[in-house]
Amino acid sequence: MKQHLSIIIIGASGDLATKKIFPALFALYCRKLLPEPFSCCGFARTAMDVDTFREMLKRHLTCRYVPDEEECPALMDKFLARCFYVTGQYDLHEDYKRLADILDKNEKDGLSVTRIFYYSIPPFLFIPVSHSLKQAGLTTDIADKRLNRAVIEKPFGRNRASSDRLTRELATVFSEAQTYRIDHYLGKEVIQNLMALRFANLVLEPLWNRVNIAHVQITWMEDIGVEGRAGYFDAYGIIRDVMQNHLLQMLALTAMSEPLSLNPEYVRDEKVKVLRSVAPVTLNDIVVGQYTGAEYKGEKRRGYLEEDGVPPDSITPTYAAAALKIRNRRWDGIPFLIRAGKGLNDRKTEIRVVFRDVPANIFGAVSTPPDANELVIRVQPDAGISLSLMNKKPGLPMSLHKTDLNLSYADVFPEEIPDAYESLILDVINGDKSLFIRADELAAAWDVFTPVLSELESCTIRPQEYPFGSEGPRSAVALAALYNTHWR
Ligand code: BG6
């Protein structure tokens, strides 16, 4: 049955909307993946007419999927002709009535409609916006006529209690089935591949446990600072900004057991199970840091406390490293060492599975002992997977040499890799929830970090300083050493 699709972006003049959401919608349009008919409507406080809005959107659209460059301007114009804009206050339901009028006008008579409300707004607006949408009569499903979905971006609360409150409040407007909580890392190609890598290959599963694996490292590093987002960042910090969500999701997909099938509920059941087995982090298991001013790549970089909008006595961590323990049969005793930081000396995200040493080294007399094998899943920047193996170094003597089997996405997959938002928005349109965070999963993830966040903040623990462009605070090295290893 033909249906109309209406996508409503609340906060349409902001960075996320203009740089990620609209370009992703346009990419789907170019690939003919948006259902017909469809229309988009932006809503935000900034006063502007629809032409100015379209001009603003156009600056960020690219034709990556259009082979013939000459077709591009016409395609952009066709897409933009479906985009509308309403200026309004987020908490005034009268303003949403004007939005409702535009939606009604755009949606073709007689067709049923799916409306997707995308919250591209700061978290403190989630509740007022939801209530105003409800008061304006926009959130009620009408059987066979109108279905509504809401897409919500992290951070979902600041700890377990505030996250539960948010979940409860939102549930009075959109049911759990209608709610899509986005963690954009789950839309990244290499992260989606984790399930295929682990469960579509026979060789890994027998090794994937405490018997063969010594530890797992999950690294997330950026060599930039807070880049104009100090207001948001200072209120949240690196643990809430990336660890509780992006890193825990990577951990869950690495550590979970095989789901019964790809049914979204079964996948999320397994993630919840493993997240519930993670012991809450304690102060002994974590190190926090904050970058200070330094010269990096020939440029003077400001310290976190000098960034505009950061209070001079802020104790917000820009770096954290933690040792997580999973209390189940597969992983008992195996540390998952995770670290995340801004203002470091590299930009990379990866999962590194470090296997145990080979027992009874028979090469001892002729060579240095074999290094442990490592499987590295490189999420970015150079997406790929590599497995280090020991081999005989060519030559007369028997000596061992560590080499990598390397699968580089750029070499093996010539096709354009979709942006995470393209993949996730298409899933919302298709009603597929596998890559979205379920309420119980969110609660389990908060349980891992809530106690330690509360201790760090109530005891006013000052993060250890590290210079911008370094490897992070020295105490992170000591944390890894506690587990007889070092960060790779
Ligand atoms: C966001 C964080 O979720 O992810 C940012 O709020 C971070 O602090 C960003 O910079 C990184 O995303 P990506 O896709 O560039 O790795």
Side-chain angles (χ1 to χ4, degrees):
M1 269 249 306
K2 225 174 166 171
Q3 274 203 340
H4 188 101
L5 173 71
S6 275
I7 305 181
I8 302 103
I9 289 108
I10 319 265
S13 55
D15 265 13
L16 177 66
T18 52
K19 294 190 182 152
K20 290 287 182 187
I21 303 171
F22 279 101
L25 286 167
F26 179 60
L28 295 173
Y29 177 71
C30 291
R31 300 180 71 187
K32 301 194 173 19
L33 292 170
L34 287 186
E36 285 290 353
F38 82 91
S39 53
C40 305
C41 194
F43 181 97
R45 280 181 316 201
T46 313
M48 63 181 140
D49 60 23
V50 70
D51 292 330
T52 316
F53 178 63
R54 287 173 179 162
E55 270 310 307
M56 182 181 83
L57 297 184
K58 196 171 184 171
R59 286 198 286 275
H60 299 282
L61 304 185
T62 59
C63 284
R64 284 155 50 229
Y65 296 107
V66 186
D68 182 353
E69 261 186 44
E70 290 188 357
E71 275 182 41
C72 186
L75 264 177
M76 283 189 186
D77 290 342
K78 273 197 194 160
F79 171 78
L80 290 169
R82 314 278 195 96
C83 298
F84 301 85
Y85 183 73
V86 176
T87 307
Q89 296 302 315
Y90 290 121
D91 53 355
L92 278 190
H93 69 270
E94 296 83 359
D95 289 355
Y96 291 92
K97 293 229 167 89
R98 287 189 289 113
L99 170 69
D101 291 342
I102 298 222
L103 297 180
D104 289 340
K105 207 164 99 199
N106 290 336
E107 292 159 3
K108 302 276 175 298
D109 283 346
L111 287 190
S112 66
V113 56
T114 300
R115 286 183 180 168
I116 296 175
F117 293 90
Y118 198 123
Y119 286 33
S120 175
I121 42 176
F124 71 90
L125 289 171
F126 290 174
I127 302 293
V129 164
S130 306
H131 288 315
S132 303
L133 285 171
K134 188 174 179 177
Q135 274 182 294
L138 277 163
T139 58
T140 325
D141 279 359
I142 307 171
D144 300 328
K145 280 198 80 178
R146 199 165 83 200
L147 291 178
N148 298 298
R149 294 182 185 144
V151 182
I152 302 194
E153 285 274 346
K154 67 151 204 54
F156 314 111
R158 296 180 47 76
N159 52 26
R160 172 68 199 266
S162 59
S163 164
D164 284 357
R165 261 199 312 277
L166 180 65
T167 302
R168 273 198 308 274
E169 283 267 349
L170 285 175
T172 63
V173 180
F174 292 107
S175 68
E176 179 65 21
Q178 292 173 303
T179 306
Y180 290 70
R181 293 181 197 85
I182 278 206
D183 178 323
H184 79 281
Y185 267 60
L186 290 180
K188 291 191 186 258
E189 199 52 61
V190 176
I191 300 207
Q192 291 194 50
N193 184 44
L194 276 170
M195 290 256 292
L197 179 72
R198 291 197 47 209
F199 305 124
N201 293 296
L202 188 69
V203 292
L204 291 181
E205 183 59 15
L207 303 176
W208 214 254
N209 53 46
R210 62 196 294 277
V211 178
N212 301 293
I213 291 174
H215 72 278
V216 176
Q217 292 187 10
I218 302 181
T219 294
W220 184 97
M221 312 170 76
E222 279 186 348
D223 61 354
I224 52 173
V226 286
E227 307 275 299
R229 293 166 77 227
Y232 153 78
F233 192 87
D234 200 62
Y236 286 88
I238 202 77
I239 300 174
R240 295 184 178 95
D241 186 40
V242 297
M243 266 198 163
Q244 181 271 350
N245 32 71
H246 305 330
L247 269 72
L248 268 194
Q249 285 297 322
M250 287 191 256
L251 177 142
L253 288 165
T254 306
M256 73 186 207
S257 293
E258 189 179 28
L260 284 176
S261 76
L262 291 184
N263 174 307
E265 297 316 321
Y266 291 153
V267 173
R268 297 186 300 171
D269 285 348
E270 288 306 328
K271 284 199 326 196
V272 173
K273 235 195 255 174
V274 78
L275 286 172
R276 286 191 179 143
S277 318
V278 179
V281 173
T282 68
L283 277 184
N284 292 332
D285 308 320
I286 199 164
V287 162
V288 287
Q290 196 180 67
Y291 62 82
T292 55
E295 190 162 309
Y296 177 59
K297 293 192 172 161
E299 239 183 82
K300 176 94 193 77
R301 308 303 296 259
R302 279 192 289 187
Y304 180 68
L305 296 181
E306 286 116 51
E307 301 271 13
D308 297 332
V310 173
D313 55 350
S314 170
I315 55 160
T316 299
T318 58
Y319 177 101
L324 269 54
K325 293 154 194 156
I326 304 179
R327 307 268 189 240
N328 65 17
R329 278 202 170 205
R330 191 195 283 266
W331 297 116
D332 194 28
I334 305 307
F336 279 67
L337 300 172
I338 68 176
R339 62 178 164 160
K342 290 186 180 272
L344 297 174
N345 60 355
D346 202 358
R347 173 183 176 248
K348 71 171 180 187
T349 303
E350 66 175 37
I351 302 165
R352 188 175 286 264
V353 180
V354 182
F355 289 88
R356 290 190 185 275
D357 288 330
V358 174
N361 167 31
I362 60 166
F363 298 95
V366 290
S367 176
T368 51
D371 280 350
N373 303 113
E374 292 183 4
L375 177 72
V376 184
I377 298 147
R378 298 189 305 271
V379 178
Q380 56 194 32
D382 159 34
I385 294 167
S386 65
L387 175 65
S388 74
L389 294 173
M390 297 308 293
N391 284 290
K392 176 184 171 296
K393 188 172 179 196
L396 296 179
M398 164 57 86
S399 96
L400 297 178
H401 185 74
K402 187 172 175 171
T403 41
D404 281 348
L405 286 182
N406 189 19
L407 180 162
S408 157
Y409 271 51
D411 296 342
V412 181
F413 303 115
E415 51 284 308
E416 188 70 47
I417 299 206
D419 180 77
Y421 279 92
E422 292 165 32
S423 173
L424 294 172
I425 291 174
L426 188 61
D427 283 354
V428 180
I429 293 171
N430 293 332
D432 181 342
K433 298 193 88 178
S434 323
L435 301 180
F436 295 84
I437 315 293
R438 207 167 63 186
D440 53 351
E441 189 179 351
L442 176 62
W446 274 121
D447 283 344
V448 175
F449 285 110
T450 293
V452 80
L453 280 165
S454 144
E455 277 192 86
L456 285 167
E457 286 160 4
S458 61
C459 306
T460 337
I461 293 183
R462 202 145 267 295
Q464 191 178 22
E465 295 179 350
Y466 61 94
F468 195 111
S470 66
E471 284 186 4
R474 275 190 312 278
S475 40
V477 176
L479 179 75
L482 282 180
Y483 298 93
N484 301 319
T485 188
H486 59 276
W487 297 102
R488 276 54 167 193

